[in-house]
Amino acid sequence: DQILKTIEILGIPTPEVWPNITHLPDYPKLAAYESKPNCYRNNLDRYMESTEMPPVARDLLARMLDYDPERRITATDALRHPYFTEERPPLRNAFEGLKLLYPRRSVKKVSTAN
């Protein structure tokens, strides 16, 4: 379930982090998750700290994943974020420099002709 995956990373959305959540029709269903607050706390910082992600990238990711749409960064503002000017551009191969063996995938071209 997608909402559960989101809750596992971002924690349970509460009125403190998303004031208008109480107006959503499914808000009462979140009560089941609130009974296990230690399981569903915000783990985003912990996940980001386990990577070599620079602080400016962490800031952009956190802003893009904000529960509250009123506070969440817009696509236009995200493209203007310092991450895109202060950090070196992403590598052509996202796995370059990693010390793990990533399996090659075979990609088959699908014909679009009728």
Side-chain angles (χ1 to χ4, degrees):
D1 187 27
Q2 187 62 44
I3 190 66
L4 184 56
K5 295 292 184 194
T6 303
I7 288 172
E8 287 174 354
I9 301 296
L10 299 180
I12 300 168
T14 63
E16 291 78 32
V17 297
W18 184 0
N20 290 325
I21 193 171
T22 57
H23 302 294
L24 298 178
D26 288 338
Y27 176 69
K29 293 179 183 178
L30 292 173
Y33 298 112
E34 291 175 2
S35 65
K36 301 177 182 179
N38 292 335
C39 296
Y40 299 114
R41 62 184 181 280
N42 190 330
N43 290 304
L44 184 61
D45 288 335
R46 185 171 57 94
Y47 286 117
M48 289 192 297
E49 288 170 3
S50 69
T51 69
E52 295 179 12
M53 186 183 295
V56 69
R58 291 179 190 180
D59 178 70
L60 176 58
L61 182 61
R63 289 174 182 226
M64 291 190 311
L65 295 176
D66 195 320
Y67 271 127
D68 187 352
E70 297 293 322
R71 287 193 324 239
R72 189 178 312 128
I73 194 169
T74 65
T76 301
D77 288 341
L79 290 171
R80 294 182 182 137
H81 190 274
Y83 169 75
F84 293 106
T85 55
E86 294 177 6
E87 288 297 313
R88 67 182 177 94
L91 302 171
R92 180 170 167 79
N93 176 356
F95 301 100
E96 187 174 314
L98 291 180
K99 296 177 181 146
L100 63 101
L101 205 53
Y102 188 78
R104 283 218 168 281
R105 296 183 188 176
S106 63
V107 179
K108 296 178 184 178
K109 187 171 183 174
V110 178
S111 173
T112 58
N114 291 333

